[in-house]
Amino acid sequence: MFPELGQFSLILSLFFALSLAVLPLVGYWKGNRLLLETARPLTLIMSMLVLVGFISLCIAFLSDDFSVLYVAQNSNTQLPIWYKVSAVWGSHEGSLLFWVLILCGWCSAVALKIRTLPADVGPIVLAVLGIVCVGFLSFLLFTSSPFVRILPDAPLDGGDLNPLLQDFGLIVHPPVLYMGYVGFSVAFAFAVAALITGNLNASWARWARPWTAASWAFLTLGITLGSWWAYYELGWGGWWFWDPVENASFMPWLSGTALLHSLAVTEKRGVFKSWTVLLAIFTFSLSLLGAFLVRSGVLTSVHSFAADPTRGVFILGLLIVLIGGSLLLYAIRAAQVRSTVSFGLSGREAWLLLNNILLTVLTLTVLLGTLYPLLFDVLGLGKISVGAPYFNAVFSPIALLLMVFMAVGPLSRWHQTSANALLVPCVIAVLVSVSVSAGLVYLLGFGVTAFISLAVAMWVVVLSFYDWFSKVSAGTKGIIPRARQLPRNYYGMLLAHLGMVVTLVGIVLVTVNSEESMLRLSPGDQATVAGYEFRFDRVEQLKGPNYLSSKGQFTAYKEGKQVAVLYPEKRFFTTRQQVMTEAALDAGFTRDLYVSLGERVDEQAWGVRVYVKSFVRWIWLGGLLMMAGGLLAALDKRYRKRARAI
Amino acid sequence: MRKFFLFFPFVAFSILSVVLYVQIGKDANYMPSALIGQTVPEFTLVSLTDDELVSNKDLPNQPYLINFWGTWCAACHVEHPYLVQLARSGVVIVGVDYKDKKSLAEQWLNKKGDPYRYVLMDELGHFGVDMGITGAPETFVVDSQGVVVYRHQGEINAQNWPVIEGYLQ
């Protein structure tokens, strides 16, 4: 009964979404207050109905209702209960429902906060979100319903969840990532609403900022979790693969970062207006493109869902309506916008413009690399794949350049900055960063790349603290009261910038200072990697809830002292007949010990990968700091003021 | 002029949509082999059945299949009965036992039946590298002139056999 209830409430919610997409807009054009005010209740009812649909699917999973095709394909009676819940979003249909649920969550959040917006803006924003909901709900209902039954011959047991997804990281990674992806629809809705109403003044930027910052924070966390998961679950110690689907999440992040900064300029100075609107559309478009790439099967990737041409065509149609429509609207309406304020070449506007240019170039670099194989194929030039060498060679220098400017922006003043205000701190920072980095590189024997990267990292740290210090030491109040007066927005920025530095240091050190070896070991053997002695103690055969496991035991010693005992596993999932490698990790602040079991070579010996990864945790630690920065900025007090009554 | 530029994102997106549309429904996993249109690379390997050396000149003079397999490969277990069936209907198959042990391969063929004209032992996997295989099972169609005309990755079964058979003519 629950699956039917779910299906029914999704169909109902589609009708509410349709009304939401139409009524407020009609109200706006007719000047009918009543119709405008329907937006809020319509949004909330639509969201409740989607929630009912989602809960129905959860119940189907928890009660092992294998007469539902989706449950039969992705669950199993032996599956532990927490994976039964996460299996709800383990494959295409359920994850799409989950996507719609999160979209409705954001819509409801906007609906509940609608009083902070002018009476004619809020409903239009909700109406635009309603259009997006119509698109995704009809995609869900017409091509990918998770409630399809297999009756009367329902299987007794299900096909089990993909073992790759039976993992804690995968319980939390998709929800958080979707929060980010979908969150950009709010910024998009603000931008489109601004285009529709022609109300493209600086205030729309202020309304859009906290929403953008919040979704950016979620996306940051989602990407960080994904990278961490890939590191420990895929069994070969990489943390980023430039896989098309990773890129699909990284592109909206890059352009969302650009959007955050250009929104700041538009809010404070009223310039870059039409650019900011375009960027908001662009960011959401990249989120949608990501969804398309994952669900249409046009690119190969470890993340892809089963390819289905009908779905591909449907979601492409969705893209054309949403993105094509909004870009067309942009082309027609943005011509009216003209910035009246000018700015000097040394003002903060100019630095942020540079930031935007570089971030856009980075986004396009990744976009080109991701889509290049498709273009190549369409032009009949054959099959190629674009891999890490391209991305590393093109992306890294631009990203480093961006970080150089990242440190200068906050120091500059709006409109115009005096040369001395920049020159003094920059000279200090150059001296400190070059000497510290040179010292480190000399002591540790690294190369030129490491020198440049570490110098850039130091440069950002020195200038950030210089900026903070000059802000708190100005005036007569004393440092602590001044420090507490600085807005959350500012601390958010500082935290996010330092997070970037921490990530950079992690990336550099894990690249230049790690040791990896692939060994052939039998129980009792020892091997030395990067100063650590690894002893292969034994292998045991164990039985898990839905798998059989060969569990190895390794003891790691440093200078004769035991530092860790590691248990890498090779799991054989019986239902899916699939083998999974579970690497064993000993995590540390400055290094990770990483052991994974490879193939069994003969009766005794195993292929074993042993890595000592330097500072790898810093990559994700930086991600967490960036996320915290984004949340802090989203929570800044001044966004919470109510709109003046009109 | 400015108005014209504002249409640029829309135009760029339209072009991208066309590209994406063309790609829908194509199999992204399909990788054509660089060997197609070329003769089978040179090799000298030991035959499993009689320990004789086999090289290019010993390959059949009629269209045939080269099938890479191994006892360690799970999909090969699934594929094997179908190959036996094909061999019975007269399809010539040259087997390459890839990165495997002789004793295990002999047991396998005794137990499951032998669909192969002969089996080459590629214990070190050098021939596999020359043929550019990415895993097992993998099958190549070679015509009567000794030219590779098709490559199939993964198991052969009743669904995909008609396509492969088409190249075998």
Side-chain angles (χ1 to χ4, degrees):
Chain A
M1 190 207 67
F2 279 107
E4 281 68 32
L5 176 70
Q7 178 79 2
F8 179 64
S9 67
L10 287 185
I11 294 171
L12 266 185
S13 75
L14 176 61
F15 282 103
F16 278 94
L18 277 168
S19 323
L20 176 62
V22 175
L23 295 183
L25 286 175
V26 173
Y28 175 74
W29 277 307
K30 299 265 182 204
N32 185 332
R33 196 76 189 249
L34 201 67
L35 284 179
L36 274 176
E37 280 173 2
T38 57
R40 191 167 184 257
L42 283 175
T43 308
L44 295 175
I45 297 171
M46 171 188 77
S47 307
M48 283 311 293
L49 288 167
V50 170
L51 184 64
V52 170
F54 183 76
I55 291 173
S56 311
L57 188 60
C58 291
I59 292 173
F61 266 96
L62 290 176
S63 59
D64 291 325
D65 186 350
F66 298 122
S67 70
V68 177
L69 178 65
Y70 183 73
V71 179
Q73 281 169 344
N74 293 290
S75 187
N76 185 281
T77 42
Q78 286 164 4
L79 196 65
I81 187 155
W82 52 90
Y83 292 136
K84 277 183 185 166
V85 176
S86 73
V88 174
W89 54 83
S91 188
H92 168 75
E93 290 86 351
S95 72
L96 192 61
L97 174 58
F98 195 51
W99 173 289
V100 175
L101 178 74
I102 289 175
L103 179 58
C104 285
W106 282 102
C107 294
S108 307
V110 176
L112 294 173
K113 288 269 172 192
I114 202 166
R115 309 231 188 280
T116 59
L117 303 172
D120 61 341
V121 173
I124 303 300
V125 172
L126 287 178
V128 176
L129 284 169
I131 297 172
V132 179
C133 288
V134 169
F136 278 101
L137 273 170
S138 40
F139 182 37
L140 181 67
L141 284 169
F142 295 132
T143 71
S144 328
S145 172
F147 295 113
V148 175
R149 293 264 202 182
I150 19 174
L151 288 172
D153 296 316
L156 290 175
D157 208 340
D160 209 0
L161 178 64
N162 185 345
L164 261 179
L165 307 181
Q166 296 186 25
D167 174 77
F168 172 74
L170 256 287
I171 297 181
V172 286
H173 166 60
V176 176
L177 198 63
Y178 286 6
M179 284 292 281
Y181 267 148
V182 179
F184 284 126
S185 65
V186 180
F188 168 81
F190 273 105
V192 174
L195 286 172
I196 291 173
T197 58
N199 190 0
L200 270 169
N201 50 25
S203 48
W204 89 266
R206 208 190 71 196
W207 304 322
R209 268 183 92 178
W211 299 97
T212 312
S215 33
W216 181 86
F218 280 115
L219 189 58
T220 310
L221 182 62
I223 295 174
T224 308
L225 284 170
S227 158
W228 173 62
W229 169 79
Y231 169 76
Y232 72 76
E233 183 72 16
L234 295 184
W236 53 281
W239 51 273
W240 190 258
F241 305 92
W242 296 110
D243 170 282
V245 175
E246 281 177 340
N247 294 347
S249 68
F250 194 40
M251 288 186 285
W253 187 84
L254 288 169
S255 86
T257 312
L259 177 62
L260 271 181
H261 291 89
S262 91
L263 276 171
V265 186
T266 307
E267 186 204 341
K268 297 276 186 184
R269 303 292 300 170
V271 284
F272 301 177
K273 282 181 207 161
S274 100
W275 168 246
T276 307
V277 169
L278 182 61
L279 213 48
I281 298 174
F282 189 50
T283 304
F284 183 55
S285 307
L286 289 170
S287 296
L288 290 182
L289 184 73
F292 173 79
L293 293 178
V294 185
R295 292 166 197 275
S296 68
V298 296
L299 287 171
T300 35
S301 155
V302 288
H303 297 71
S304 309
F305 293 106
D308 180 342
T310 353
R311 285 177 191 158
V313 173
F314 198 103
I315 199 166
L316 184 61
L318 192 62
L319 252 67
I320 289 171
V321 173
L322 289 178
I323 304 176
S326 53
L327 287 177
L328 197 61
L329 184 69
Y330 172 81
I332 296 164
R333 300 283 286 200
Q336 301 163 0
V337 191
R338 208 165 277 256
S339 302
T340 44
V341 200
S342 65
F343 59 89
L345 279 176
S346 62
R348 190 180 283 177
E349 295 92 328
W351 294 106
L352 287 173
L353 178 64
L354 201 58
N355 150 300
N356 266 242
I357 292 171
L358 289 174
L359 277 167
T360 310
V361 169
L362 285 176
T363 314
L364 293 176
T365 309
V366 180
L367 185 66
L368 184 71
T370 311
L371 295 181
Y372 197 67
L374 287 183
L375 293 171
F376 213 66
D377 196 15
V378 166
L379 297 174
L381 298 170
K383 284 268 201 180
I384 55 159
S385 66
V386 176
Y390 159 82
F391 290 107
N392 291 340
V394 181
F395 191 88
S396 315
I398 308 174
L400 277 179
L401 192 64
L402 175 68
M403 288 188 68
V404 171
F405 294 124
M406 181 177 98
V408 186
L411 283 175
S412 59
R413 302 281 166 265
W414 293 113
H415 197 59
Q416 203 99 54
T417 317
S418 70
N420 275 341
L422 289 182
L423 211 58
V424 176
C426 286
V427 169
I428 298 173
V430 167
L431 291 177
V432 174
S433 58
V434 168
S435 49
V436 170
S437 172
L440 279 175
V441 169
Y442 177 75
L443 281 177
L444 300 167
F446 300 155
V448 183
T449 329
F451 166 69
I452 297 172
S453 314
L454 292 177
V456 170
M458 273 313 288
W459 156 268
V460 178
V461 172
V462 172
L463 285 182
S464 296
F465 278 102
Y466 181 93
D467 182 50
W468 178 79
F469 193 73
S470 66
K471 280 193 170 65
V472 295
S473 61
T476 49
K477 272 192 187 162
I479 288 176
I480 292 163
R482 285 281 301 167
R484 293 177 60 166
Q485 258 180 9
L486 288 173
R488 284 189 192 158
N489 221 331
Y490 175 76
Y491 280 113
M493 176 207 72
L494 209 59
L495 210 54
H497 284 187
L498 292 175
M500 256 331 287
V501 171
V502 171
T503 299
L504 174 69
V505 171
I507 294 173
V508 172
L509 290 177
V510 82
T511 314
V512 300
N513 197 34
S514 296
E515 266 196 54
E516 315 192 339
S517 32
M518 277 144 87
L519 306 159
R520 180 194 164 114
L521 296 176
S522 304
D525 288 353
Q526 288 210 2
T528 308
V529 179
Y532 289 89
E533 286 269 316
F534 290 88
R535 197 184 66 210
F536 187 2
D537 300 323
R538 62 171 172 272
V539 180
E540 296 177 292
Q541 305 301 323
L542 297 170
K543 197 173 172 343
N546 52 349
Y547 58 84
L548 303 169
S549 161
S550 304
K551 189 175 185 181
Q553 182 183 322
F554 288 75
T555 315
Y557 302 88
K558 175 134 194 174
E559 287 148 7
K561 269 192 219 148
Q562 179 179 329
V563 280
V565 184
L566 299 136
Y567 300 97
E569 278 184 71
K570 203 88 192 160
R571 288 182 185 167
F572 177 72
F573 284 81
T574 42
T575 314
R576 286 220 176 196
Q577 300 271 309
Q578 224 168 320
V579 178
M580 291 294 308
T581 305
E582 294 281 320
L585 286 169
D586 180 57
F589 191 63
T590 60
R591 60 100 190 97
D592 268 19
L593 306 181
Y594 186 114
V595 177
S596 82
L597 281 180
E599 299 298 323
R600 186 169 199 157
V601 189
D602 55 42
E603 292 301 304
Q604 285 295 310
W606 289 75
V608 180
R609 290 165 187 265
V610 180
Y611 300 152
V612 177
K613 295 256 172 196
S614 188
F615 284 81
V616 66
R617 299 275 133 184
W618 285 45
I619 297 173
W620 308 304
L621 180 64
L624 292 181
L625 289 176
M626 282 187 255
M627 178 214 62
L631 284 184
L632 208 55
L635 294 174
D636 198 279
K637 278 185 206 129
R638 61 207 186 81
Y639 299 131
R640 273 185 258 162
K641 284 185 209 135
R642 284 179 161 229
R644 273 156 286 139
I646 297 171
Chain B
M1 202 54 202
R2 187 180 130 85
K3 258 198 123 128
F4 172 76
F5 276 119
L6 290 176
F7 276 92
F8 178 74
F10 178 71
V11 174
F13 172 72
S14 306
I15 296 170
L16 178 65
S17 319
V18 174
V19 171
L20 293 178
Y21 181 75
V22 174
Q23 264 339 80
I24 290 176
K26 285 194 188 169
D27 182 7
N29 286 309
Y30 175 68
M31 269 286 158
S33 163
L35 271 182
I36 288 179
Q38 310 214 9
T39 47
V40 176
E42 279 187 29
F43 68 91
T44 311
L45 293 169
V46 176
S47 161
L48 176 71
T49 24
D50 50 11
D51 283 338
E52 292 293 312
L53 281 180
V54 179
S55 66
N56 296 64
K57 62 177 168 32
D58 304 310
L59 288 170
N61 293 323
Q62 65 197 98
Y64 64 96
L65 303 177
I66 300 181
N67 174 253
F68 280 84
W69 62 282
T71 55
W72 46 268
C73 142
C76 300
H77 284 264
V78 182
E79 185 188 51
H80 199 84
Y82 196 73
L83 292 181
V84 173
Q85 208 179 312
L86 288 178
R88 273 197 206 120
S89 68
V91 178
V92 181
I93 310 173
V94 173
V96 182
D97 187 24
Y98 181 63
K99 290 192 177 172
D100 205 356
K101 272 199 185 144
K102 197 178 166 193
S103 53
L104 294 174
E106 278 167 348
Q107 267 176 36
W108 163 294
L109 293 178
N110 284 337
K111 214 161 84 186
K112 293 168 170 274
D114 184 355
Y116 302 110
R117 171 75 53 101
Y118 42 79
V119 174
L120 307 172
M121 291 303 298
D122 189 23
E123 283 155 299
L124 299 172
H126 293 319
F127 186 50
V129 171
D130 289 343
M131 293 292 284
I133 71 165
T134 55
E138 204 163 296
T139 304
F140 295 82
V141 181
V142 184
D143 69 7
S144 49
Q145 269 76 49
V147 174
V148 177
V149 290
Y150 187 69
R151 169 220 211 161
H152 177 79
Q153 289 170 293
E155 61 180 270
I156 295 178
N157 52 38
Q159 275 86 51
N160 55 39
W161 172 246
V163 178
I164 301 167
E165 194 179 22
Y167 284 95
L168 201 55
Q169 304 304 323

